[in-house]
PDB file of all heavy atoms in Angstrom:
ATOM      1  N   TYR U   1      40.436  68.893   7.923  1.00 89.00           N
ATOM      2  CA  TYR U   1      41.076  70.097   8.470  1.00 89.00           C
ATOM      3  C   TYR U   1      41.796  69.800   9.776  1.00 89.00           C
ATOM      4  O   TYR U   1      41.459  68.868  10.505  1.00 89.00           O
ATOM      5  CB  TYR U   1      40.047  71.215   8.665  1.00 89.00           C
ATOM      6  CG  TYR U   1      39.366  71.229  10.012  1.00 89.00           C
ATOM      7  CD1 TYR U   1      39.849  72.045  11.039  1.00 89.00           C
ATOM      8  CD2 TYR U   1      38.256  70.454  10.278  1.00 89.00           C
ATOM      9  CE1 TYR U   1      39.238  72.074  12.281  1.00 89.00           C
ATOM     10  CE2 TYR U   1      37.638  70.474  11.513  1.00 89.00           C
ATOM     11  CZ  TYR U   1      38.138  71.279  12.508  1.00 89.00           C
ATOM     12  OH  TYR U   1      37.538  71.300  13.743  1.00 89.00           O
ATOM     13  N   MET U   2      42.820  70.621  10.046  1.00 89.00           N
ATOM     14  CA  MET U   2      43.548  70.520  11.306  1.00 89.00           C
ATOM     15  C   MET U   2      42.928  71.526  12.281  1.00 89.00           C
ATOM     16  O   MET U   2      42.644  72.658  11.906  1.00 89.00           O
ATOM     17  CB  MET U   2      45.028  70.817  11.087  1.00 89.00           C
ATOM     18  CG  MET U   2      45.726  69.742  10.272  1.00 89.00           C
ATOM     19  SD  MET U   2      47.425  70.168   9.870  1.00 89.00           S
ATOM     20  CE  MET U   2      47.166  71.293   8.508  1.00 89.00           C
ATOM     21  N   SER U   3      42.754  71.137  13.506  1.00 88.00           N
ATOM     22  CA  SER U   3      42.113  71.986  14.509  1.00 88.00           C
ATOM     23  C   SER U   3      42.992  73.190  14.839  1.00 88.00           C
ATOM     24  O   SER U   3      44.180  73.222  14.526  1.00 88.00           O
ATOM     25  CB  SER U   3      41.848  71.186  15.781  1.00 88.00           C
ATOM     26  OG  SER U   3      43.079  70.921  16.433  1.00 88.00           O
ATOM     27  N   LEU U   4      42.390  74.161  15.502  1.00 88.00           N
ATOM     28  CA  LEU U   4      43.120  75.352  15.925  1.00 88.00           C
ATOM     29  C   LEU U   4      44.311  74.967  16.806  1.00 88.00           C
ATOM     30  O   LEU U   4      45.404  75.501  16.654  1.00 88.00           O
ATOM     31  CB  LEU U   4      42.185  76.322  16.662  1.00 88.00           C
ATOM     32  CG  LEU U   4      42.771  77.667  17.073  1.00 88.00           C
ATOM     33  CD1 LEU U   4      43.289  78.441  15.873  1.00 88.00           C
ATOM     34  CD2 LEU U   4      41.735  78.486  17.825  1.00 88.00           C
ATOM     35  N   VAL U   5      44.114  74.012  17.685  1.00 91.00           N
ATOM     36  CA  VAL U   5      45.203  73.554  18.567  1.00 91.00           C
ATOM     37  C   VAL U   5      46.341  72.964  17.726  1.00 91.00           C
ATOM     38  O   VAL U   5      47.513  73.277  17.951  1.00 91.00           O
ATOM     39  CB  VAL U   5      44.677  72.521  19.597  1.00 91.00           C
ATOM     40  CG1 VAL U   5      45.823  71.856  20.345  1.00 91.00           C
ATOM     41  CG2 VAL U   5      43.712  73.184  20.567  1.00 91.00           C
ATOM     42  N   GLU U   6      45.996  72.137  16.736  1.00 90.00           N
ATOM     43  CA  GLU U   6      47.022  71.548  15.871  1.00 90.00           C
ATOM     44  C   GLU U   6      47.748  72.621  15.064  1.00 90.00           C
ATOM     45  O   GLU U   6      48.979  72.599  14.946  1.00 90.00           O
ATOM     46  CB  GLU U   6      46.393  70.533  14.907  1.00 90.00           C
ATOM     47  CG  GLU U   6      45.883  69.282  15.586  1.00 90.00           C
ATOM     48  CD  GLU U   6      45.067  68.412  14.659  1.00 90.00           C
ATOM     49  OE1 GLU U   6      44.085  68.909  14.059  1.00 90.00           O
ATOM     50  OE2 GLU U   6      45.422  67.215  14.525  1.00 90.00           O
ATOM     51  N   MET U   7      46.994  73.560  14.504  1.00 90.00           N
ATOM     52  CA  MET U   7      47.597  74.615  13.693  1.00 90.00           C
ATOM     53  C   MET U   7      48.503  75.510  14.534  1.00 90.00           C
ATOM     54  O   MET U   7      49.606  75.857  14.115  1.00 90.00           O
ATOM     55  CB  MET U   7      46.521  75.446  12.990  1.00 90.00           C
ATOM     56  CG  MET U   7      45.751  74.674  11.926  1.00 90.00           C
ATOM     57  SD  MET U   7      46.781  74.005  10.596  1.00 90.00           S
ATOM     58  CE  MET U   7      47.188  75.478   9.712  1.00 90.00           C
ATOM     59  N   LYS U   8      48.047  75.865  15.722  1.00 90.00           N
ATOM     60  CA  LYS U   8      48.884  76.684  16.611  1.00 90.00           C
ATOM     61  C   LYS U   8      50.194  75.966  16.919  1.00 90.00           C
ATOM     62  O   LYS U   8      51.250  76.585  16.966  1.00 90.00           O
ATOM     63  CB  LYS U   8      48.142  76.995  17.915  1.00 90.00           C
ATOM     64  CG  LYS U   8      47.102  78.059  17.809  1.00 90.00           C
ATOM     65  CD  LYS U   8      46.450  78.240  19.183  1.00 90.00           C
ATOM     66  CE  LYS U   8      45.587  79.443  19.256  1.00 90.00           C
ATOM     67  NZ  LYS U   8      45.008  79.621  20.605  1.00 90.00           N
ATOM     68  N   SER U   9      50.109  74.662  17.132  1.00 90.00           N
ATOM     69  CA  SER U   9      51.301  73.889  17.441  1.00 90.00           C
ATOM     70  C   SER U   9      52.237  73.818  16.228  1.00 90.00           C
ATOM     71  O   SER U   9      53.442  74.057  16.355  1.00 90.00           O
ATOM     72  CB  SER U   9      50.897  72.477  17.886  1.00 90.00           C
ATOM     73  OG  SER U   9      52.037  71.687  18.086  1.00 90.00           O
ATOM     74  N   LEU U  10      51.699  73.501  15.061  1.00 88.00           N
ATOM     75  CA  LEU U  10      52.524  73.398  13.857  1.00 88.00           C
ATOM     76  C   LEU U  10      53.186  74.725  13.497  1.00 88.00           C
ATOM     77  O   LEU U  10      54.321  74.760  13.040  1.00 88.00           O
ATOM     78  CB  LEU U  10      51.681  72.904  12.677  1.00 88.00           C
ATOM     79  CG  LEU U  10      51.298  71.437  12.719  1.00 88.00           C
ATOM     80  CD1 LEU U  10      50.274  71.117  11.630  1.00 88.00           C
ATOM     81  CD2 LEU U  10      52.522  70.550  12.564  1.00 88.00           C
ATOM     82  N   PHE U  11      52.474  75.829  13.706  1.00 89.00           N
ATOM     83  CA  PHE U  11      53.007  77.153  13.400  1.00 89.00           C
ATOM     84  C   PHE U  11      53.891  77.700  14.523  1.00 89.00           C
ATOM     85  O   PHE U  11      54.538  78.710  14.349  1.00 89.00           O
ATOM     86  CB  PHE U  11      51.859  78.155  13.164  1.00 89.00           C
ATOM     87  CG  PHE U  11      51.423  78.267  11.750  1.00 89.00           C
ATOM     88  CD1 PHE U  11      50.702  77.265  11.151  1.00 89.00           C
ATOM     89  CD2 PHE U  11      51.731  79.396  11.002  1.00 89.00           C
ATOM     90  CE1 PHE U  11      50.285  77.365   9.828  1.00 89.00           C
ATOM     91  CE2 PHE U  11      51.325  79.513   9.689  1.00 89.00           C
ATOM     92  CZ  PHE U  11      50.604  78.491   9.096  1.00 89.00           C
ATOM     93  N   ARG U  12      53.852  77.010  15.678  1.00 92.00           N
ATOM     94  CA  ARG U  12      54.535  77.507  16.886  1.00 92.00           C
ATOM     95  C   ARG U  12      54.058  78.933  17.187  1.00 92.00           C
ATOM     96  O   ARG U  12      54.847  79.854  17.400  1.00 92.00           O
ATOM     97  CB  ARG U  12      56.048  77.429  16.723  1.00 92.00           C
ATOM     98  CG  ARG U  12      56.528  75.992  16.549  1.00 92.00           C
ATOM     99  CD  ARG U  12      57.994  75.879  16.564  1.00 92.00           C
ATOM    100  NE  ARG U  12      58.526  76.493  17.779  1.00 92.00           N
ATOM    101  CZ  ARG U  12      59.553  76.036  18.461  1.00 92.00           C
ATOM    102  NH1 ARG U  12      60.153  74.964  18.065  1.00 92.00           N
ATOM    103  NH2 ARG U  12      59.983  76.672  19.531  1.00 92.00           N
ATOM    104  N   MET U  13      52.737  79.073  17.162  1.00 92.00           N
ATOM    105  CA  MET U  13      52.129  80.400  17.314  1.00 92.00           C
ATOM    106  C   MET U  13      52.478  81.058  18.642  1.00 92.00           C
ATOM    107  O   MET U  13      52.603  82.273  18.700  1.00 92.00           O
ATOM    108  CB  MET U  13      50.607  80.324  17.134  1.00 92.00           C
ATOM    109  CG  MET U  13      50.155  80.122  15.699  1.00 92.00           C
ATOM    110  SD  MET U  13      50.761  81.337  14.500  1.00 92.00           S
ATOM    111  CE  MET U  13      49.994  82.838  15.070  1.00 92.00           C
ATOM    112  N   GLN U  14      52.657  80.290  19.700  1.00 93.00           N
ATOM    113  CA  GLN U  14      53.025  80.888  20.986  1.00 93.00           C
ATOM    114  C   GLN U  14      54.352  81.629  20.858  1.00 93.00           C
ATOM    115  O   GLN U  14      54.503  82.749  21.349  1.00 93.00           O
ATOM    116  CB  GLN U  14      53.098  79.815  22.072  1.00 93.00           C
ATOM    117  CG  GLN U  14      53.314  80.386  23.453  1.00 93.00           C
ATOM    118  CD  GLN U  14      53.211  79.317  24.525  1.00 93.00           C
ATOM    119  OE1 GLN U  14      52.811  78.184  24.279  1.00 93.00           O
ATOM    120  NE2 GLN U  14      53.591  79.689  25.739  1.00 93.00           N
ATOM    121  N   ASP U  15      55.314  81.022  20.172  1.00 94.00           N
ATOM    122  CA  ASP U  15      56.614  81.679  19.956  1.00 94.00           C
ATOM    123  C   ASP U  15      56.464  82.894  19.041  1.00 94.00           C
ATOM    124  O   ASP U  15      57.072  83.938  19.285  1.00 94.00           O
ATOM    125  CB  ASP U  15      57.620  80.699  19.345  1.00 94.00           C
ATOM    126  CG  ASP U  15      57.986  79.569  20.291  1.00 94.00           C
ATOM    127  OD1 ASP U  15      57.867  79.752  21.517  1.00 94.00           O
ATOM    128  OD2 ASP U  15      58.389  78.499  19.795  1.00 94.00           O
ATOM    129  N   ILE U  16      55.671  82.748  17.983  1.00 94.00           N
ATOM    130  CA  ILE U  16      55.468  83.864  17.045  1.00 94.00           C
ATOM    131  C   ILE U  16      54.834  85.049  17.755  1.00 94.00           C
ATOM    132  O   ILE U  16      55.289  86.185  17.636  1.00 94.00           O
ATOM    133  CB  ILE U  16      54.626  83.409  15.835  1.00 94.00           C
ATOM    134  CG1 ILE U  16      55.446  82.453  14.968  1.00 94.00           C
ATOM    135  CG2 ILE U  16      54.136  84.607  15.024  1.00 94.00           C
ATOM    136  CD1 ILE U  16      54.667  81.807  13.831  1.00 94.00           C
ATOM    137  N   VAL U  17      53.786  84.791  18.517  1.00 94.00           N
ATOM    138  CA  VAL U  17      53.082  85.863  19.230  1.00 94.00           C
ATOM    139  C   VAL U  17      54.008  86.543  20.238  1.00 94.00           C
ATOM    140  O   VAL U  17      54.011  87.769  20.368  1.00 94.00           O
ATOM    141  CB  VAL U  17      51.807  85.327  19.919  1.00 94.00           C
ATOM    142  CG1 VAL U  17      51.218  86.339  20.876  1.00 94.00           C
ATOM    143  CG2 VAL U  17      50.773  84.925  18.865  1.00 94.00           C
ATOM    144  N   SER U  18      54.827  85.770  20.931  1.00 94.00           N
ATOM    145  CA  SER U  18      55.696  86.365  21.956  1.00 94.00           C
ATOM    146  C   SER U  18      56.813  87.214  21.347  1.00 94.00           C
ATOM    147  O   SER U  18      57.312  88.127  21.996  1.00 94.00           O
ATOM    148  CB  SER U  18      56.279  85.285  22.869  1.00 94.00           C
ATOM    149  OG  SER U  18      57.176  84.468  22.157  1.00 94.00           O
ATOM    150  N   CYS U  19      57.189  86.942  20.104  1.00 94.00           N
ATOM    151  CA  CYS U  19      58.263  87.703  19.448  1.00 94.00           C
ATOM    152  C   CYS U  19      57.745  88.831  18.552  1.00 94.00           C
ATOM    153  O   CYS U  19      58.518  89.721  18.190  1.00 94.00           O
ATOM    154  CB  CYS U  19      59.133  86.773  18.605  1.00 94.00           C
ATOM    155  SG  CYS U  19      60.037  85.569  19.582  1.00 94.00           S
ATOM    156  N   ALA U  20      56.494  88.774  18.181  1.00 96.00           N
ATOM    157  CA  ALA U  20      55.949  89.758  17.239  1.00 96.00           C
ATOM    158  C   ALA U  20      55.764  91.127  17.902  1.00 96.00           C
ATOM    159  O   ALA U  20      55.509  91.211  19.104  1.00 96.00           O
ATOM    160  CB  ALA U  20      54.612  89.268  16.693  1.00 96.00           C
ATOM    161  N   THR U  21      55.900  92.175  17.110  1.00 96.00           N
ATOM    162  CA  THR U  21      55.676  93.529  17.607  1.00 96.00           C
ATOM    163  C   THR U  21      54.206  93.923  17.496  1.00 96.00           C
ATOM    164  O   THR U  21      53.768  94.845  18.171  1.00 96.00           O
ATOM    165  CB  THR U  21      56.521  94.546  16.821  1.00 96.00           C
ATOM    166  OG1 THR U  21      56.180  94.465  15.435  1.00 96.00           O
ATOM    167  CG2 THR U  21      58.004  94.281  16.999  1.00 96.00           C
ATOM    168  N   GLN U  22      53.472  93.233  16.646  1.00 97.00           N
ATOM    169  CA  GLN U  22      52.066  93.558  16.445  1.00 97.00           C
ATOM    170  C   GLN U  22      51.164  92.617  17.254  1.00 97.00           C
ATOM    171  O   GLN U  22      51.560  91.504  17.573  1.00 97.00           O
ATOM    172  CB  GLN U  22      51.655  93.562  14.991  1.00 97.00           C
ATOM    173  CG  GLN U  22      52.130  92.650  13.935  1.00 97.00           C
ATOM    174  CD  GLN U  22      53.550  92.442  13.620  1.00 97.00           C
ATOM    175  OE1 GLN U  22      54.261  91.880  14.432  1.00 97.00           O
ATOM    176  NE2 GLN U  22      53.978  92.788  12.431  1.00 97.00           N
ATOM    177  N   PRO U  23      49.956  93.102  17.566  1.00 96.00           N
ATOM    178  CA  PRO U  23      48.998  92.207  18.225  1.00 96.00           C
ATOM    179  C   PRO U  23      48.500  91.166  17.215  1.00 96.00           C
ATOM    180  O   PRO U  23      48.205  91.507  16.064  1.00 96.00           O
ATOM    181  CB  PRO U  23      47.868  93.137  18.662  1.00 96.00           C
ATOM    182  CG  PRO U  23      47.987  94.350  17.800  1.00 96.00           C
ATOM    183  CD  PRO U  23      49.426  94.456  17.395  1.00 96.00           C
ATOM    184  N   ILE U  24      48.441  89.911  17.646  1.00 97.00           N
ATOM    185  CA  ILE U  24      48.018  88.821  16.760  1.00 97.00           C
ATOM    186  C   ILE U  24      46.840  88.098  17.401  1.00 97.00           C
ATOM    187  O   ILE U  24      46.891  87.707  18.563  1.00 97.00           O
ATOM    188  CB  ILE U  24      49.164  87.824  16.506  1.00 97.00           C
ATOM    189  CG1 ILE U  24      50.345  88.525  15.836  1.00 97.00           C
ATOM    190  CG2 ILE U  24      48.680  86.647  15.660  1.00 97.00           C
ATOM    191  CD1 ILE U  24      51.570  87.651  15.675  1.00 97.00           C
ATOM    192  N   THR U  25      45.796  87.901  16.600  1.00 96.00           N
ATOM    193  CA  THR U  25      44.614  87.151  17.004  1.00 96.00           C
ATOM    194  C   THR U  25      44.476  85.981  16.041  1.00 96.00           C
ATOM    195  O   THR U  25      44.841  86.103  14.879  1.00 96.00           O
ATOM    196  CB  THR U  25      43.351  88.043  16.933  1.00 96.00           C
ATOM    197  OG1 THR U  25      43.560  89.194  17.746  1.00 96.00           O
ATOM    198  CG2 THR U  25      42.108  87.314  17.398  1.00 96.00           C
ATOM    199  N   MET U  26      43.952  84.864  16.514  1.00 95.00           N
ATOM    200  CA  MET U  26      43.759  83.685  15.665  1.00 95.00           C
ATOM    201  C   MET U  26      42.316  83.219  15.761  1.00 95.00           C
ATOM    202  O   MET U  26      41.742  83.205  16.845  1.00 95.00           O
ATOM    203  CB  MET U  26      44.680  82.552  16.106  1.00 95.00           C
ATOM    204  CG  MET U  26      46.137  82.806  15.835  1.00 95.00           C
ATOM    205  SD  MET U  26      47.204  81.820  16.892  1.00 95.00           S
ATOM    206  CE  MET U  26      47.304  82.860  18.335  1.00 95.00           C
ATOM    207  N   LEU U  27      41.763  82.837  14.609  1.00 95.00           N
ATOM    208  CA  LEU U  27      40.406  82.303  14.550  1.00 95.00           C
ATOM    209  C   LEU U  27      40.333  81.160  13.553  1.00 95.00           C
ATOM    210  O   LEU U  27      41.101  81.129  12.589  1.00 95.00           O
ATOM    211  CB  LEU U  27      39.415  83.386  14.094  1.00 95.00           C
ATOM    212  CG  LEU U  27      39.123  84.548  15.026  1.00 95.00           C
ATOM    213  CD1 LEU U  27      38.251  85.571  14.311  1.00 95.00           C
ATOM    214  CD2 LEU U  27      38.435  84.053  16.290  1.00 95.00           C
ATOM    215  N   GLU U  28      39.377  80.273  13.769  1.00 94.00           N
ATOM    216  CA  GLU U  28      39.057  79.239  12.789  1.00 94.00           C
ATOM    217  C   GLU U  28      37.887  79.755  11.972  1.00 94.00           C
ATOM    218  O   GLU U  28      36.955  80.354  12.515  1.00 94.00           O
ATOM    219  CB  GLU U  28      38.629  77.942  13.473  1.00 94.00           C
ATOM    220  CG  GLU U  28      39.745  77.195  14.147  1.00 94.00           C
ATOM    221  CD  GLU U  28      39.245  75.913  14.781  1.00 94.00           C
ATOM    222  OE1 GLU U  28      38.283  75.957  15.558  1.00 94.00           O
ATOM    223  OE2 GLU U  28      39.833  74.863  14.482  1.00 94.00           O
ATOM    224  N   THR U  29      37.918  79.501  10.655  1.00 95.00           N
ATOM    225  CA  THR U  29      36.846  79.973   9.787  1.00 95.00           C
ATOM    226  C   THR U  29      36.537  78.962   8.694  1.00 95.00           C
ATOM    227  O   THR U  29      37.331  78.065   8.410  1.00 95.00           O
ATOM    228  CB  THR U  29      37.221  81.297   9.082  1.00 95.00           C
ATOM    229  OG1 THR U  29      38.386  81.079   8.286  1.00 95.00           O
ATOM    230  CG2 THR U  29      37.460  82.420  10.063  1.00 95.00           C
ATOM    231  N   SER U  30      35.383  79.165   8.094  1.00 94.00           N
ATOM    232  CA  SER U  30      35.024  78.475   6.855  1.00 94.00           C
ATOM    233  C   SER U  30      34.425  79.521   5.934  1.00 94.00           C
ATOM    234  O   SER U  30      33.322  80.011   6.184  1.00 94.00           O
ATOM    235  CB  SER U  30      34.008  77.355   7.100  1.00 94.00           C
ATOM    236  OG  SER U  30      33.494  76.918   5.853  1.00 94.00           O
ATOM    237  N   ALA U  31      35.157  79.879   4.901  1.00 89.00           N
ATOM    238  CA  ALA U  31      34.633  80.837   3.930  1.00 89.00           C
ATOM    239  C   ALA U  31      33.425  80.252   3.209  1.00 89.00           C
ATOM    240  O   ALA U  31      32.544  80.981   2.779  1.00 89.00           O
ATOM    241  CB  ALA U  31      35.717  81.220   2.925  1.00 89.00           C
ATOM    242  N   ARG U  32      33.372  78.943   3.110  1.00 91.00           N
ATOM    243  CA  ARG U  32      32.277  78.281   2.397  1.00 91.00           C
ATOM    244  C   ARG U  32      30.964  78.361   3.168  1.00 91.00           C
ATOM    245  O   ARG U  32      29.939  78.724   2.609  1.00 91.00           O
ATOM    246  CB  ARG U  32      32.618  76.829   2.115  1.00 91.00           C
ATOM    247  CG  ARG U  32      31.464  76.084   1.444  1.00 91.00           C
ATOM    248  CD  ARG U  32      31.795  74.656   1.123  1.00 91.00           C
ATOM    249  NE  ARG U  32      32.711  74.683  -0.008  1.00 91.00           N
ATOM    250  CZ  ARG U  32      33.512  73.681  -0.328  1.00 91.00           C
ATOM    251  NH1 ARG U  32      33.530  72.593   0.385  1.00 91.00           N
ATOM    252  NH2 ARG U  32      34.318  73.772  -1.371  1.00 91.00           N
ATOM    253  N   ASP U  33      30.974  78.021   4.466  1.00 94.00           N
ATOM    254  CA  ASP U  33      29.702  78.000   5.199  1.00 94.00           C
ATOM    255  C   ASP U  33      29.529  79.174   6.168  1.00 94.00           C
ATOM    256  O   ASP U  33      28.508  79.287   6.821  1.00 94.00           O
ATOM    257  CB  ASP U  33      29.503  76.664   5.923  1.00 94.00           C
ATOM    258  CG  ASP U  33      30.448  76.432   7.087  1.00 94.00           C
ATOM    259  OD1 ASP U  33      31.072  77.393   7.581  1.00 94.00           O
ATOM    260  OD2 ASP U  33      30.557  75.265   7.531  1.00 94.00           O
ATOM    261  N   GLY U  34      30.515  80.064   6.246  1.00 94.00           N
ATOM    262  CA  GLY U  34      30.378  81.274   7.051  1.00 94.00           C
ATOM    263  C   GLY U  34      30.794  81.134   8.508  1.00 94.00           C
ATOM    264  O   GLY U  34      30.740  82.108   9.256  1.00 94.00           O
ATOM    265  N   THR U  35      31.237  79.962   8.923  1.00 95.00           N
ATOM    266  CA  THR U  35      31.679  79.780  10.305  1.00 95.00           C
ATOM    267  C   THR U  35      32.816  80.753  10.610  1.00 95.00           C
ATOM    268  O   THR U  35      33.774  80.850   9.859  1.00 95.00           O
ATOM    269  CB  THR U  35      32.167  78.335  10.534  1.00 95.00           C
ATOM    270  OG1 THR U  35      31.119  77.429  10.228  1.00 95.00           O
ATOM    271  CG2 THR U  35      32.635  78.131  11.969  1.00 95.00           C
ATOM    272  N   GLY U  36      32.677  81.489  11.695  1.00 95.00           N
ATOM    273  CA  GLY U  36      33.708  82.426  12.113  1.00 95.00           C
ATOM    274  C   GLY U  36      33.598  83.810  11.484  1.00 95.00           C
ATOM    275  O   GLY U  36      34.305  84.730  11.897  1.00 95.00           O
ATOM    276  N   LEU U  37      32.718  83.977  10.499  1.00 94.00           N
ATOM    277  CA  LEU U  37      32.607  85.266   9.813  1.00 94.00           C
ATOM    278  C   LEU U  37      32.199  86.389  10.763  1.00 94.00           C
ATOM    279  O   LEU U  37      32.757  87.489  10.704  1.00 94.00           O
ATOM    280  CB  LEU U  37      31.623  85.175   8.646  1.00 94.00           C
ATOM    281  CG  LEU U  37      31.420  86.465   7.854  1.00 94.00           C
ATOM    282  CD1 LEU U  37      32.721  86.952   7.248  1.00 94.00           C
ATOM    283  CD2 LEU U  37      30.360  86.257   6.778  1.00 94.00           C
ATOM    284  N   ALA U  38      31.260  86.124  11.647  1.00 94.00           N
ATOM    285  CA  ALA U  38      30.824  87.159  12.599  1.00 94.00           C
ATOM    286  C   ALA U  38      31.994  87.614  13.466  1.00 94.00           C
ATOM    287  O   ALA U  38      32.152  88.816  13.730  1.00 94.00           O
ATOM    288  CB  ALA U  38      29.684  86.631  13.474  1.00 94.00           C
TER     289      ALA U  38
END
């Protein structure tokens, strides 16, 4: 897996968030083991 930092960079999330009209939150998860579910 690519880390949150890597994914944010590849997606250019800083640019997306600054241009978006909606509030955007980002999390890392694993549907398999439940990490991030809470």
Side-chain angles (χ1 to χ4, degrees):
Y1 90 95
M2 292 174 281
S3 71
L4 185 59
V5 170
E6 291 170 305
M7 293 301 288
K8 283 180 169 182
S9 175
L10 287 170
F11 269 73
R12 297 187 54 143
M13 286 305 295
Q14 187 173 350
D15 294 335
I16 290 173
V17 169
S18 67
C19 295
T21 58
Q22 37 306 68
I24 299 174
T25 303
M26 291 158 274
L27 291 173
E28 288 181 307
T29 60
S30 168
R32 177 178 287 160
D33 69 17
T35 302
L37 180 60

